[in-house]
Amino acid sequence: MINNALAVAGIVIKELYRRKDFYVLFVLTALITLLLGCVNFFNDDRIARYLKEICLLLIWISSLIIAVTTTARQIPAERENRTIFPLLAKPLTRGHLVFGKFLGCWFASGLSLVVFYFFFCVVSGAREHQWPLLIYLQALWLHWILLALVVAMVLLGSIMFAAPSSNSTICFIFIVGILLVGRHLHRIAIQLQEPIRTIVSVIYFAIPHLEFYDIREMIVHNLPPISMLACLIATVYAIGYTAFFLIATWLVFRRKSLTA
Amino acid sequence: MPDLVKIEKLRVEYRSRESQNGFKVAVDGLDLTVGSGEVFGFLGPNGAGKTTTMNVLLGFVSPSSGSASLFGVDVREPIARQRIGYLPELTYYYKFLSAEELLRFYGKIFRIPKGELEKRIDSILKLVELEHARKRLIKTYSKGMQQRAGIAQALINNPDLLILDEPTSGLDPIGRMKVREIIQRLKEEGKTVFFSSHELGEVETVCDRVAILYQGKLQVEGRVDDLVKNYKTNLEQIFLKVIGYQSSQAV
Ligand SMILES: Nc1ncnc2c1ncn2[C@@H]1O[C@H](COP(=O)(O)OP(=O)(O)OP(=O)(O)O)[C@@H](O)[C@H]1O
Ligand SMILES: [Mg+2]
């Protein structure tokens, strides 16, 4: 299982670094980060903070775009190019394929995160002359764990929706929606009439709360690191949802006809 | 001789909007066995159901009824595929890989040890004459070269049973002869080859047995020499007769 999944993951990563569009995002973000870092606004706290906010926002947007678009493409491309046939004719099951694609996309997004955060760390460190590495590492970790959940979710979508573009769009709306309003849903629920109130509350408890993983504010305001326990709980929570999405993907994919 | 491939009363239906009853029968009550060490030619006009039958053998399509097994193992079990090599009819391999990387990837899935794998890749690429292009990305290959990469991929695990869907399509005369030689060599090594083809002359020279499928039904099955003796003509004429083709001159 692990052997096959890693072989598939290796192919995903190989494809990514041989594709040009991946570099575009990468270079773009690095460039903007550097540019922002070079502008001379010394001794102005507000501008330094503003700068960090923009950089982090860029990192979040780019990482989500990379994770969602690459994942959404994987299985549909295998089917469209018919590469899935010689692959599944080997002693490799559909479960191995799903897990391998997940690992590949997750590692690839992790790799890009490391580069993004490295840039961020250098740029902000150079301006503020302080290196709060622990909270950066926490941010990186939480961000990466969140991407596991995102990748697994998009993988499920890629089997349920026909076109990768519609899957990407739906997933983006879902993710951004949760990030923006997820934490307020229960407060909204209280103000609503009864049937809808219960529905909104159920949604609040059912959706994966991606916003837990977003500690940008704390970095911007130079707050101390969060507790390791909170990190651990967040990790377990994300693993739970990731496993749920992966198993669901496998169950749907197992029954799917490959020739339709 | 034990049966490596065994197909019993196989029926495959596809959902279809065109036909009135909502489905189309692609394979209808097919019984077929391929013995160990045989080269078996699977013939039939376009749309006869050859690819569909092979898709069942590989577990891509589930039968509506009937059953199929490889090495005595039901085709639904992934183990059934450990000792086979498969060449699909139309495939684009991962375009962003080179032939060498493609073979390495598939070799990993079969858990072939590294040193052994490199040796095997060298010899297979030599066999299909892709040595000069082994480091080039597959997207730069011509159609025939892609077909050769496909054949190479089917041989990577040194399989006992090869299932080849039109192995010579897209190849030049030399390439075809080469494939014929490869099949002959595999036979000498005691391997079993089950392949579909439209090249009847070629089938006649390499196959021990053939089956002719028409509209999903098995029309004729037997040893090539027996068929030629019984019908007193070559395979091509037998084929045309079986599918009920009247040449315009005859009419
Ligand atoms: N996915 C599918 N959905 C619906 N019908 C299909 C599907 N695949 C094949 N068919 C139909 O099943 C029949 C058999 O097709 P199949 O591909 O097995 O033929 P074949 O013998 O391989 O032909 P060829 O020599 O052209 O490759 C055809 O009538 C085809 O239209
Ligand atoms: Mg076919």
Side-chain angles (χ1 to χ4, degrees):
Chain A
M1 159 100 180
I2 289 295
N3 170 63
N4 283 353
L6 286 180
V8 172
I11 295 298
V12 173
I13 293 173
K14 206 164 249 171
E15 182 193 6
L16 274 183
Y17 73 66
R18 289 199 179 154
R19 276 175 69 108
K20 304 280 172 338
D21 52 348
F22 185 60
Y23 288 105
V24 173
L25 256 175
F26 226 74
V27 170
L28 197 75
T29 313
L31 209 68
I32 294 172
T33 316
L34 279 176
L35 276 180
L36 280 173
C38 292
V39 184
N40 260 328
F41 292 123
F42 279 112
N43 303 326
D44 190 332
D45 261 6
R46 270 182 329 176
I47 292 189
R49 241 182 285 151
Y50 186 56
L51 196 85
K52 279 161 80 178
E53 237 178 276
I54 292 181
C55 284
L56 285 169
L57 183 65
L58 270 174
I59 291 176
W60 270 74
I61 294 173
S62 318
S63 71
L64 283 175
I65 290 177
I66 290 176
V68 171
T69 53
T70 41
T71 312
R73 209 179 50 225
Q74 293 305 322
I75 292 178
E78 289 270 354
R79 295 183 59 183
E80 191 131 314
N81 298 334
R82 300 166 152 265
T83 47
I84 198 166
F85 292 112
L87 187 57
L88 289 182
K90 311 276 183 290
L92 176 139
T93 65
R94 297 188 189 194
H96 298 164
L97 181 62
V98 167
F99 193 56
K101 290 292 185 190
F102 164 76
L103 284 184
C105 295
W106 188 43
F107 286 162
S109 18
L111 228 58
S112 58
L113 275 191
V114 168
V115 176
F116 286 149
Y117 275 87
F118 175 76
F119 269 109
F120 178 75
C121 184
V122 169
V123 171
S124 73
R127 324 207 90 259
E128 298 183 325
H129 302 291
Q130 47 176 334
W131 308 85
L133 284 183
L134 183 59
I135 194 163
Y136 286 173
L137 282 178
Q138 284 180 333
L140 174 64
W141 172 253
L142 290 174
H143 196 159
W144 192 39
I145 279 289
L146 162 111
L147 289 184
L149 203 164
V150 167
V151 166
M153 183 172 86
V154 177
L155 217 48
L156 175 62
S158 77
I159 287 177
M160 307 222 297
F161 306 109
S165 56
S166 58
N167 177 28
S168 298
T169 314
I170 291 169
C171 288
F172 262 123
I173 292 172
F174 190 66
I175 292 165
V176 173
I178 292 178
L179 283 173
L180 293 181
V181 302
R183 73 182 86 206
H184 307 302
L185 273 183
H186 65 303
R187 257 178 278 141
I188 296 170
I190 295 169
Q191 298 161 8
L192 293 171
Q193 294 294 313
E194 212 356 287
I196 302 169
R197 182 174 176 172
T198 315
I199 293 170
V200 174
S201 304
V202 167
I203 291 176
Y204 175 75
F205 285 108
I207 55 171
H209 284 273
L210 306 179
E211 71 276 6
F212 294 167
Y213 300 84
D214 177 6
I215 57 169
R216 282 179 295 162
E217 292 275 286
M218 308 185 66
I219 294 181
V220 169
H221 295 286
N222 290 327
L223 297 182
I226 56 177
S227 82
M228 281 304 180
L229 183 67
C231 266
L232 185 71
I233 292 172
T235 304
V236 172
Y237 179 87
I239 290 175
Y241 268 100
T242 305
F244 165 77
F245 283 125
L246 285 181
I247 290 170
T249 308
W250 174 62
L251 288 176
V252 178
F253 190 41
R254 218 167 48 134
R255 293 166 188 287
K256 196 110 187 162
S257 161
L258 294 179
T259 51
Chain B
M1 224 170 11
D3 294 331
L4 284 202
V5 180
K6 195 175 176 78
I7 298 172
E8 282 179 295
K9 300 201 175 51
L10 181 70
R11 186 182 170 88
V12 180
E13 292 164 2
Y14 285 116
R15 257 175 295 175
S16 152
R17 258 173 252 124
E18 288 156 37
S19 61
Q20 302 99 337
N21 44 12
F23 62 85
K24 164 156 188 26
V25 181
V27 178
D28 193 359
L30 179 65
D31 283 297
L32 204 69
T33 56
V34 180
S36 176
E38 268 186 329
V39 175
F40 194 102
F42 198 36
L43 314 178
N46 292 140
K50 304 181 295 294
T51 300
T52 304
T53 307
M54 292 187 169
N55 283 344
V56 170
L57 290 178
L58 290 148
F60 303 149
V61 171
S62 19
S64 314
S65 67
S67 68
S69 64
L70 301 174
F71 302 99
V73 180
D74 190 289
V75 292
R76 275 169 291 207
E77 309 283 334
I79 323 267
R81 297 192 280 281
Q82 179 72 31
R83 288 158 64 203
I84 68 170
Y86 167 61
L87 173 72
E89 91 178 314
L90 300 165
T91 296
Y92 308 94
Y93 296 92
Y94 301 96
K95 294 190 185 87
F96 50 89
L97 295 181
S98 64
E100 180 177 272
E101 287 168 325
L102 181 79
L103 294 179
R104 220 170 270 144
F105 167 54
Y106 288 140
K108 255 187 232 162
I109 294 173
F110 284 106
R111 294 168 177 272
I112 303 169
K114 231 187 162 81
E116 160 90 41
L117 179 60
E118 291 306 316
K119 255 187 263 161
R120 220 181 270 181
I121 289 175
D122 289 344
S123 74
I124 290 176
L125 287 177
K126 199 174 201 168
L127 184 69
V128 299
E129 293 178 344
L130 276 180
E131 248 177 338
H132 62 288
R134 60 185 289 165
K135 289 193 192 306
R136 254 164 62 190
L137 297 192
I138 293 177
K139 70 175 162 210
T140 68
Y141 284 12
S142 73
K143 182 176 163 191
M145 287 165 81
Q146 289 194 18
Q147 185 74 2
R148 284 164 212 254
I151 295 169
Q153 144 309 119
L155 294 172
I156 190 70
N157 56 329
N158 193 17
D160 294 322
L161 167 65
L162 279 124
I163 298 180
L164 311 173
D165 203 345
E166 299 189 23
T168 52
S169 91
L171 294 183
D172 59 28
I174 300 174
R176 279 189 204 164
M177 203 168 70
K178 201 78 199 166
V179 168
R180 217 149 53 211
E181 282 170 17
I182 293 175
I183 292 178
Q184 223 116 37
R185 226 176 86 177
L186 291 166
K187 181 182 158 62
E188 278 157 25
E189 289 170 21
K191 316 268 185 202
T192 309
V193 184
F194 178 66
F195 75 106
S196 72
S197 179
H198 293 297
E199 301 290 329
L200 298 176
E202 169 179 302
V203 167
E204 200 168 337
T205 55
V206 300
C207 288
D208 299 315
R209 280 205 301 147
V210 294
I212 301 177
L213 202 64
Y214 181 50
Q215 295 182 343
K217 291 199 178 80
L218 183 66
Q219 306 292 331
V220 169
E221 194 251 278
R223 298 190 58 82
V224 178
D225 19 359
D226 290 347
L227 290 179
V228 171
K229 221 183 291 163
N230 292 349
Y231 285 80
K232 296 185 181 63
T233 175
N234 64 11
L235 199 56
E236 187 167 0
Q237 292 305 319
I238 299 173
F239 181 89
L240 292 177
K241 193 166 168 193
V242 161
I243 65 169
Y245 176 81
Q246 304 274 318
S247 85
S248 47
Q249 281 169 336
V251 172

